[in-house]
Amino acid sequence: MEPLTTLSVEALETRVTGILQTHGFSAPNAQAVAHVIVAGERDGCKSHGLYRLEGVLKVLKAGKASGVSIPVVHDTSGAILEVDAGGGYAPASFVAGKEALVQRTRELGLAALVIRDCLHFSALWHDVEALAEEGLASLSMCPSYAFVAPSGGTKPLFGTNPFAFGWPRRGPHPYVVDFATSVAARGEIELHRRAGKPLPEGWAIDAQGNPTTDPQAALEGAMLPFGGHKGSAIATMIELMAGAMLGEFMSREALDFMGGGDLLPRHGALVLAFDPARFAARSGRDPLAEGETLLTAIEDQGARLPSQRRFATRAGALARGITLSEAEWAMLGRLGQGPSAL
Amino acid sequence: MEPLTTLSVEALETRVTGILQTHGFSAPNAQAVAHVIVAGERDGCKSHGLYRLEGVLKVLKAGKASGVSIPVVHDTSGAILEVDAGGGYAPASFVAGKEALVQRTRELGLAALVIRDCLHFSALWHDVEALAEEGLASLSMCPSYAFVAPSGGTKPLFGTNPFAFGWPRRGPHPYVVDFATSVAARGEIELHRRAGKPLPEGWAIDAQGNPTTDPQAALEGAMLPFGGHKGSAIATMIELMAGAMLGEFMSREALDFMGGGDLLPRHGALVLAFDPARFAARSGRDPLAEGETLLTAIEDQGARLPSQRRFATRAGALARGITLSEAEWAMLGRLGQGPSAL
């Protein structure tokens, strides 16, 4: 059995922050990035945990992102707040814009946060969970890389375009859902390829646009959206709203700009926030109490609410620390040596 | 072959308006309802065309809706506009609130229209198409009746909860998509039952929560959301945002209030509008031109854009009129006799 190392969440965050600074990140950027990476690891989201660190560092080394940019908040004086990330990593931009978004949402009932030209690598649940903790409902979406074909199409055009929704609850955790609008994550196709296992039906098409279960043919062809033409429409909506509407890259432009999908994508992001207290005010009803009626009815059927497993894993990590494998620990040691380790 | 009757769109709208007035609708309510019903017929959406007329009249006769209520627009002085439908039919409320929504969206960048306590029977594409014609992107959603089980659940809880998205285009028609978040419409299950045909796998569960292809068992059990847990999350979002958040009925409450699913549901509705010109302003890019890049790339793959068939059918109807079957023509004659015909 592999020897294991256990650290507190704080200690791991400090360690990751230090590694990022060794690679040239400014302290605020390093802290914001380390926070979301360690939060992923803490919650058992391995695909958005420490695994992401090397990719975050590689894109910086490739000169395709900035680790020192200072996000600039621009207030359009309406319901839109913008943060110019300047090629920096998204977490610092969300931190920079969040308080203004919360205030504007409480003031107007709803508001939007636009993040421009950011390096996006984190799960979207961070954003909607943070807003739910302020009592706000929210949607978050962004394009990614053009790896997914439209329903009925033959070529990659959409990203795996994640979509998240958060709803505040009075208990310890909000309702948070966050998913890719592709049937599967690209990493899952790669894992099938390495394992020599065929893909499930319906995940992908080959370069000629025919259905395939061959992982290599899928990687050379295109992934498919979840839910057929309905999921494809949601992926389209995300390209239009979080790409075209903002005047930021859509998934194909992001791929062209980065010259391939090996590095993390650079594009914009859109967060929409809603104040249930404002929306419900004239009804005389308590929107959060109404929400509980629905959510407890889901659980009473034995159906799982999204994020419940994540919250349970988090509770364990906060109580007992995060346990790293020897390989993970060695990776941190290697990356801690600086850019030459990449 | 059945004899056919062909009327112009205007003539059919006048005819339907008259029938509604015969049943006690005020002129503005009759016109708004007739407009959306005839638009459905014009576009070849038979499920939201003349077929709907009898249901619209029955709920009025049952005393569960108002045909004379005057929608009242309430301005929260923020980004939320509300229309109190007062138990009236949704189309007049959308008409009443639309101009204020457009103005507020242009002013702030985004805004919401809340419709309270309306009788909702129309497809959502009406709303998002009308806003796209003003140059705005929009989302529209509402609950319905609790006929759909959550993914992993066993009992009906969600409605078929429609979701629509509209995006403005410079050509003759906007991008418009509108779909139920259930795998199939309830009417399709009823059609399978009448035809004695089994359902496709994955449409429904029986009253014990087990998968079924028996239409009768499905009607006594629950329908399933599209796209597994991801579609289920979108159905949940619609219950929370267009039900709980507004302090209006969710789908289970709508069913309880109406005492069953035979009459059309009464609940609220939420429309979110976005001004791409405002969102893109600082980017220096043209959001509609960017949108065309995506939409033409979808079409260039041979994939169909949603609503294209509907727009083509519309063009034919506008040029050559709407052709009704003898049965449809007889139905109009019968309903024109007033409430005693129901």
Side-chain angles (χ1 to χ4, degrees):
Chain A
M1 191 183 142
E2 273 192 307
L4 302 171
T5 306
T6 298
L7 291 85
S8 71
V9 173
E10 294 71 23
L12 185 56
E13 208 168 305
T14 302
R15 177 72 191 265
V16 173
T17 301
I19 294 171
L20 289 159
Q21 289 182 286
T22 302
H23 286 253
F25 277 71
S26 67
N29 277 286
Q31 283 155 7
V33 169
H35 181 73
V36 301
I37 284 181
V38 174
E41 195 70 27
R42 173 199 70 194
D43 286 11
C45 292
K46 299 296 282 188
S47 64
H48 287 84
L50 290 177
Y51 161 79
R52 289 273 157 173
L53 184 55
E54 186 151 359
V56 160
L57 297 171
K58 276 186 173 165
V59 65
L60 184 71
K61 187 177 182 184
K64 298 273 197 174
S66 166
V68 299
S69 71
I70 298 169
V72 178
V73 180
H74 180 86
D75 189 339
T76 67
S77 80
I80 305 172
L81 293 152
E82 303 190 5
V83 182
D84 297 338
Y89 294 75
S93 291
F94 182 77
V95 168
K98 188 196 127 186
E99 196 50 35
L101 175 65
V102 170
Q103 292 310 319
R104 191 60 49 87
T105 304
R106 290 196 181 128
E107 188 187 325
L108 297 177
L110 65 155
L113 182 69
V114 172
I115 301 180
R116 296 198 175 280
D117 188 20
C118 64
L119 216 297
H120 210 293
F121 67 94
S122 57
L124 298 182
W125 56 257
H126 295 280
D127 305 352
V128 299
E129 191 176 320
L131 293 168
E133 280 163 9
E134 302 284 344
L136 304 181
S138 62
L139 302 179
S140 180
M141 61 186 91
C142 65
S144 44
Y145 276 144
F147 287 146
V148 178
S151 178
T154 56
K155 303 275 175 216
L157 180 63
F158 304 147
T160 51
N161 295 7
F163 181 85
F165 170 65
W167 175 262
R169 302 185 72 177
R170 296 225 170 83
H173 299 298
Y175 175 88
V176 173
V177 63
D178 173 1
F179 56 84
T181 52
S182 50
V183 175
R186 193 161 177 88
E188 291 180 73
I189 295 180
E190 176 61 23
L191 287 177
H192 278 78
R193 191 188 65 77
R194 289 190 201 170
K197 282 168 54 180
L199 302 175
E201 304 269 348
W203 278 28
I205 54 179
D206 64 21
Q208 286 70 48
N210 300 311
T212 186
T213 59
D214 173 11
Q216 185 61 38
L219 290 169
E220 290 163 8
M223 297 157 67
L224 288 172
F226 90 99
H229 69 282
K230 297 180 182 184
S232 188
I234 292 176
T236 305
M237 175 188 85
I238 295 171
E239 294 288 336
L240 291 171
M241 287 190 68
M245 185 166 87
L246 312 184
E248 296 292 317
F249 285 165
M250 291 182 287
S251 296
R252 180 179 275 178
E253 294 168 289
L255 193 56
D256 292 345
F257 175 79
M258 293 303 249
D262 293 336
L263 296 172
L264 294 168
R266 193 160 149 178
H267 47 67
L270 176 64
V271 182
L272 303 172
F274 307 86
D275 185 354
R278 288 290 301 260
F279 273 90
R282 290 180 62 248
S283 74
R285 298 177 92 192
D286 174 352
L288 270 53
E290 299 302 321
E292 288 312 295
T293 307
L294 184 82
L295 298 172
T296 55
I298 294 173
E299 291 190 295
D300 287 348
Q301 294 191 12
R304 190 193 293 273
L305 291 181
S307 299
Q308 290 303 315
R309 191 179 301 170
R310 195 163 60 71
F311 294 138
T313 306
R314 179 187 304 180
L318 292 173
R320 295 181 294 275
I322 296 175
T323 297
L324 303 182
S325 69
E326 191 173 25
E328 287 166 332
W329 188 242
M331 176 191 73
L332 292 185
R334 177 171 59 82
L335 296 177
Q337 294 161 16
S340 63
L342 294 173
Chain B
M1 189 183 143
E2 272 191 307
L4 301 171
T5 306
T6 298
L7 291 85
S8 72
V9 172
E10 295 70 21
L12 186 56
E13 207 167 305
T14 302
R15 176 72 192 264
V16 173
T17 302
I19 293 171
L20 289 159
Q21 288 182 286
T22 303
H23 286 253
F25 277 70
S26 67
N29 276 287
Q31 284 156 7
V33 169
H35 181 73
V36 301
I37 284 180
V38 174
E41 196 70 26
R42 173 198 72 193
D43 285 11
C45 292
K46 300 296 281 187
S47 64
H48 286 84
L50 291 177
Y51 161 79
R52 288 274 157 172
L53 183 55
E54 187 151 359
V56 160
L57 297 171
K58 276 186 174 165
V59 64
L60 183 70
K61 187 176 182 186
K64 297 274 199 175
S66 166
V68 298
S69 71
I70 298 169
V72 178
V73 180
H74 180 87
D75 189 339
T76 65
S77 80
I80 305 172
L81 294 152
E82 303 191 4
V83 182
D84 296 338
Y89 294 75
S93 291
F94 183 76
V95 169
K98 187 194 129 188
E99 196 51 37
L101 175 65
V102 170
Q103 292 311 318
R104 191 60 49 88
T105 303
R106 290 193 182 131
E107 188 187 323
L108 297 177
L110 66 155
L113 182 69
V114 173
I115 301 181
R116 296 197 176 281
D117 189 20
C118 66
L119 217 296
H120 210 292
F121 68 93
S122 57
L124 298 182
W125 55 257
H126 295 278
D127 305 351
V128 300
E129 192 175 319
L131 293 168
E133 281 162 9
E134 303 283 347
L136 305 181
S138 63
L139 302 179
S140 180
M141 61 188 90
C142 66
S144 44
Y145 276 145
F147 288 146
V148 179
S151 177
T154 57
K155 303 275 174 217
L157 180 63
F158 305 147
T160 52
N161 296 5
F163 180 86
F165 170 66
W167 175 261
R169 303 184 70 177
R170 296 226 169 82
H173 299 297
Y175 175 88
V176 173
V177 64
D178 173 0
F179 57 83
T181 52
S182 50
V183 174
R186 192 162 177 89
E188 291 180 72
I189 294 179
E190 176 62 23
L191 288 176
H192 278 78
R193 190 188 65 79
R194 290 189 201 170
K197 282 168 54 181
L199 303 175
E201 304 269 349
W203 280 26
I205 53 178
D206 65 19
Q208 286 70 48
N210 301 311
T212 187
T213 59
D214 173 11
Q216 186 60 38
L219 291 169
E220 291 163 8
M223 297 158 68
L224 289 173
F226 91 98
H229 69 280
K230 297 180 182 183
S232 188
I234 292 176
T236 305
M237 176 188 84
I238 295 171
E239 293 288 335
L240 292 171
M241 286 189 70
M245 187 167 86
L246 312 183
E248 296 292 317
F249 286 164
M250 290 182 287
S251 296
R252 179 178 276 177
E253 294 167 290
L255 193 56
D256 292 345
F257 175 79
M258 292 305 248
D262 293 336
L263 296 171
L264 294 168
R266 193 161 150 179
H267 47 66
L270 177 64
V271 182
L272 303 172
F274 307 85
D275 186 353
R278 287 289 302 261
F279 273 92
R282 291 180 62 247
S283 74
R285 300 177 90 190
D286 174 352
L288 270 54
E290 300 301 321
E292 288 312 295
T293 308
L294 184 82
L295 297 171
T296 56
I298 294 174
E299 290 189 296
D300 288 348
Q301 294 191 14
R304 189 194 293 276
L305 292 181
S307 299
Q308 291 303 315
R309 190 180 302 170
R310 195 163 60 72
F311 294 137
T313 305
R314 179 187 306 181
L318 291 172
R320 295 181 295 277
I322 296 175
T323 298
L324 302 183
S325 69
E326 191 174 24
E328 288 168 329
W329 189 242
M331 176 192 71
L332 292 184
R334 179 171 56 83
L335 296 177
Q337 293 162 20
S340 63
L342 295 173

